[in-house]
Amino acid sequence: MDWRDVVIVVLAGVLGMLGGVFGPVGILAGVVVGAALGARWASRSDRIAALERRVAELEGDDDA
């Protein structure tokens, strides 16, 4: 578990609390939406980091 997972949990919790204004269904919807948004962000962040590492690796191969 890394820091991105913590962000997902916190985002789901915050949106769940905000959804609580609309009752139990709002809490559930807020948690689901928060987790989905957080997971999408974390996935994109991981892909970008992997791409940057790969580009740096390929650029390093050109220097050799």
Side-chain angles (χ1 to χ4, degrees):
M1 185 169 184
D2 64 352
W3 64 274
R4 289 179 186 93
D5 296 328
V6 174
V7 171
I8 293 170
V9 171
V10 169
L11 186 58
V14 168
L15 289 181
M17 286 187 278
L18 290 174
V21 173
F22 301 106
V25 174
I27 294 172
L28 180 63
V31 168
V32 169
V33 168
L37 290 174
R40 185 175 174 129
W41 165 79
S43 174
R44 285 185 182 201
S45 179
D46 285 342
R47 276 187 269 141
I48 289 170
L51 179 61
E52 288 173 349
R53 279 193 306 270
R54 181 68 178 140
V55 167
E57 182 181 297
L58 290 173
E59 287 175 346
D61 288 345
D62 290 344
D63 294 337

